[in-house]
Amino acid sequence: MKRQCLGKTAQEKKFSVTYYREEYERNNQRVNSKRGRYMKSKRQSTVEPVFGTLTQFMGLRKINTIGIQQANKVTHLSVIAYNLKKYLKFISKVVRSEANSLTTYLTQKINNIWGEISWYNLFNNIEMR
């Protein structure tokens, strides 16, 4: 029986019972409820990717300041940089599409002018003969 409970290498098995067991159980029920699963999915899609980007790609793994106020300033500046980067990426898409439409517009105008010049040259060549 001892071998079945403990396994091959363990000498003893420990049970840990905490004073806050009721709070743990209440928290587990709240997290596993329908609303808890919904809130977890919302958090995973909104907040956690931002923290992942800040820590992995923008160097915010460690905050080298003293005090909560300075740490808050560093965090706010990092989040502002993240939002500006995101905003500039959004703006550049608009600029590219406008540049494409501008290129199309200029190409059409150049073709129209070239066509008028060609007709003008053709007309002048006919009159000169």
Side-chain angles (χ1 to χ4, degrees):
M1 176 88 165
K2 181 179 175 183
R3 182 172 218 162
Q4 202 173 19
C5 290
L6 296 178
K8 294 180 181 177
T9 58
Q11 297 297 317
E12 60 185 25
K13 190 166 193 167
K14 293 182 182 179
F15 293 100
S16 62
V17 178
T18 178
Y19 181 75
Y20 302 103
R21 184 180 176 114
E22 291 177 18
E23 284 81 4
Y24 280 122
E25 289 175 359
R26 190 174 65 221
N27 184 42
N28 285 335
Q29 287 175 354
R30 191 181 71 201
V31 169
N32 293 325
S33 69
K34 187 174 182 179
R35 188 176 193 305
R37 287 191 302 270
Y38 172 77
M39 294 304 289
K40 182 180 178 182
S41 68
K42 290 296 274 183
R43 185 176 62 249
Q44 286 177 336
S45 65
T46 56
V47 177
E48 290 178 1
V50 175
F51 285 126
T53 301
L54 288 173
T55 56
Q56 298 297 318
F57 303 114
M58 297 182 77
L60 195 67
R61 291 178 188 221
K62 185 175 180 183
I63 297 177
N64 294 322
T65 58
I66 297 173
I68 293 175
Q69 288 181 337
Q70 271 83 16
N72 283 337
K73 288 177 187 177
V74 170
T75 306
H76 281 113
L77 286 173
S78 300
V79 172
I80 288 170
Y82 175 84
N83 287 334
L84 283 173
K85 188 175 178 182
K86 192 173 177 182
Y87 180 72
L88 289 174
K89 186 178 180 183
F90 174 75
I91 292 298
S92 65
K93 287 182 180 178
V94 173
V95 170
R96 274 192 229 128
S97 66
E98 288 178 3
N100 190 15
S101 63
L102 181 63
T103 305
T104 306
Y105 174 77
L106 290 175
T107 304
Q108 289 173 352
K109 285 295 182 183
I110 290 171
N111 288 337
N112 289 342
I113 292 170
W114 185 252
E116 290 176 9
I117 291 172
S118 298
W119 279 105
Y120 179 77
N121 287 338
L122 181 65
F123 184 71
N124 281 342
N125 286 341
I126 292 173
E127 283 186 0
M128 290 184 176
R129 289 185 187 172

